[in-house]
Amino acid sequence: MKIIEVKNLKKSFGSIKAVKGIDFQVHQGQLFAFLGCNGAGKSTTIDMLCTFLKPDAGEVWIQGHQLQHEDEEIRKSIGIVFQDGLLDDLLTIEENMKVRAALYGLKGKELQKAINDIMNTMHIEKYAHRLYGTLSGGQKRKCDIARAFIHQPQILFLDEPTTGLDPQTRQEVWNTIYNLQKKYQLTIFLTTHYMEEAMSADYVIIMDEGEIVARGTPFQLRKQYTRDKLTMISNHHFIQEWLKEKNIQYIQNGTEITAFIQNTFEALPILNHCQKYIEDFEVTRGSMDDVFIQITGKELHI
Ligand SMILES: Nc1ncnc2c1ncn2[C@@H]1O[C@H](COP(=O)(O)OP(=O)(O)OP(=O)(O)O)[C@@H](O)[C@H]1O
């Protein structure tokens, strides 16, 4: 079921065409990754979907509600976590949650239940009475997500949710996001600069200069835009000669010879023929980083 539908969405700032008429759909329960370099138009798109910014043209439906006609309903359907947390440093986590929950009209027992539920799910009960300003980056992120989820929206927008966190903390934050997604069938609209996070997405869109330049599952994108690599360690010239003869592209770095192959099976005949001369080898699949560079000609910078 489509939970977000975007048709011909456009936005310009003076002469800058930030979003040039994009179309896409997000299905319920998906982890949807929205990628692009700095200035690609991601934030502008998200700001329009979240009702903060008026589009110049186009139509958007979020959970069946039409943007610019039913914005109040859209705001109830979504939760948003920005790169910079919005919680009050001088309030405890529970106080922060109460302030937020009150904005959605939750009161009394219903309010306390909503807070307890989300704190349990996010494993942040232990910070309930700590001031937000005293928490670590990872702890803060979990609280930001909990706050965005207090009214149990169907869709969570996560704008670079793990930037600046160490790998272990990033994994912890992701585990809690996955928990939330599973428990509530949540749809997650993610922007990230970490390609390994995009690898876990159900569907990926890559934006460049206001346009969608690629879309598909990570598997489809890797298949379409990258080649696998067979790296062999050898001191012998036989391998280079044989690769040249077979017109197989390769690069050499000392004793390391990397042949570019369409798929992992193409490694088999090469290994068969060159086996005697190989000290070691490794087959690596094209990565999402390779996809991104291939499509945009740019690397993502954090
Ligand atoms: N309020 C604004 N006024 C003028 N230009 C803007 C405004 N907001 C965005 N832009 C321009 O629109 C283009 C798209 O910007 P946007 O912030 O949507 O990109 P982004 O993909 O989110 O980049 P980043 O990864 O750096 O956040 C950029 O050229 C940017 O300079």
Side-chain angles (χ1 to χ4, degrees):
M1 190 186 105
K2 285 179 231 163
I3 196 158
I4 301 179
E5 189 162 18
V6 173
K7 288 187 179 166
N8 194 28
L9 186 65
K10 291 183 186 170
K11 182 73 191 176
S12 294
F13 300 101
S15 62
I16 300 168
K17 290 185 173 157
V19 177
K20 299 175 184 167
I22 57 171
D23 297 84
F24 63 87
Q25 300 168 355
V26 182
H27 293 271
Q28 185 163 25
Q30 262 186 343
L31 170 55
F32 181 90
F34 196 60
L35 310 178
C37 296
N38 297 120
K42 304 180 299 292
S43 303
T44 306
T45 304
I46 290 177
D47 285 352
M48 290 191 279
L49 302 190
C50 295
T51 78
F52 303 144
L53 190 64
K54 195 170 171 296
D56 293 341
E59 290 172 13
V60 174
W61 285 268
I62 297 199
Q63 222 191 345
H65 305 300
Q66 191 173 9
L67 188 71
Q68 294 191 278
H69 296 276
E70 298 165 285
D71 286 4
E72 183 82 9
E73 284 77 4
I74 290 180
R75 282 192 284 272
K76 283 184 199 150
S77 311
I78 62 176
I80 310 158
V81 179
F82 291 108
Q83 281 170 46
D84 304 311
L86 291 174
L87 274 70
D88 193 325
D89 275 348
L90 298 176
L91 295 182
T92 67
I93 303 311
E94 191 170 75
E95 287 164 348
N96 266 296
M97 298 291 159
K98 279 184 178 161
V99 171
R100 187 70 188 170
L103 286 180
Y104 289 98
L106 297 173
K107 286 187 208 128
K109 280 188 185 154
E110 196 192 9
L111 178 143
Q112 198 56 49
K113 184 176 179 320
I115 292 175
N116 293 346
D117 281 354
I118 187 61
M119 285 203 168
N120 281 336
T121 308
M122 296 298 292
H123 303 301
I124 55 169
E125 315 90 311
K126 46 191 174 293
Y127 317 131
H129 303 296
R130 297 253 314 260
L131 297 181
Y132 179 72
T134 65
L135 298 182
S136 72
Q139 293 164 345
K140 278 184 176 165
R141 231 60 276 257
K142 289 186 202 167
C143 295
D144 296 340
I145 296 169
R147 172 191 183 264
F149 195 71
I150 196 81
H151 58 299
Q152 295 201 1
Q154 294 286 303
I155 307 163
L156 204 52
F157 285 85
L158 300 177
D159 190 9
E160 297 184 32
T162 59
T163 297
L165 302 179
D166 64 71
Q168 196 190 335
T169 312
R170 274 168 55 201
Q171 192 53 54
E172 257 176 51
V173 170
W174 269 107
N175 289 345
T176 52
I177 296 172
Y178 290 137
N179 263 348
L180 205 59
Q181 192 188 16
K182 215 161 57 187
K183 189 164 170 186
Y184 297 96
Q185 286 274 300
L186 193 62
T187 306
I188 295 179
F189 192 107
L190 167 77
T191 71
T192 180
H193 282 139
Y194 296 111
M195 286 297 111
E196 64 273 27
E197 293 182 350
M199 263 304 287
S200 314
D202 297 302
Y203 200 80
V204 175
I205 275 187
I206 301 182
M207 292 271 290
D208 195 23
E209 298 182 8
E211 289 173 311
I212 294 176
V213 288
R215 61 178 89 208
T217 64
F219 181 79
Q220 288 166 337
L221 292 174
R222 279 165 51 212
K223 198 159 183 277
Q224 188 173 352
Y225 293 101
T226 68
R227 288 183 293 173
D228 294 342
K229 289 178 240 171
L230 167 63
T231 303
M232 296 163 280
I233 306 293
S234 172
N235 270 316
H236 218 282
H237 284 297
F238 177 86
I239 298 180
Q240 292 96 304
E241 298 306 323
W242 193 80
L243 291 173
K244 268 186 216 154
E245 196 184 301
K246 298 287 170 198
N247 271 330
I248 299 172
Q249 217 188 347
Y250 72 91
I251 48 170
Q252 186 172 4
N253 185 6
T255 56
E256 206 174 281
I257 303 156
T258 300
F260 295 96
I261 51 182
Q262 284 308 323
N263 57 60
T264 46
F265 280 101
E266 278 190 14
L268 291 174
I270 304 176
L271 290 170
N272 253 338
H273 273 87
C274 305
Q275 195 172 6
K276 271 200 288 191
Y277 309 102
I278 298 173
E279 286 169 32
D280 200 0
F281 74 92
E282 185 182 33
V283 181
T284 41
R285 289 181 176 272
S287 66
M288 279 302 288
D289 280 298
D290 297 335
V291 170
F292 196 87
I293 294 167
Q294 178 69 23
I295 292 169
T296 64
K298 301 161 197 160
E299 280 187 64
L300 269 181
H301 297 288
I302 295 162

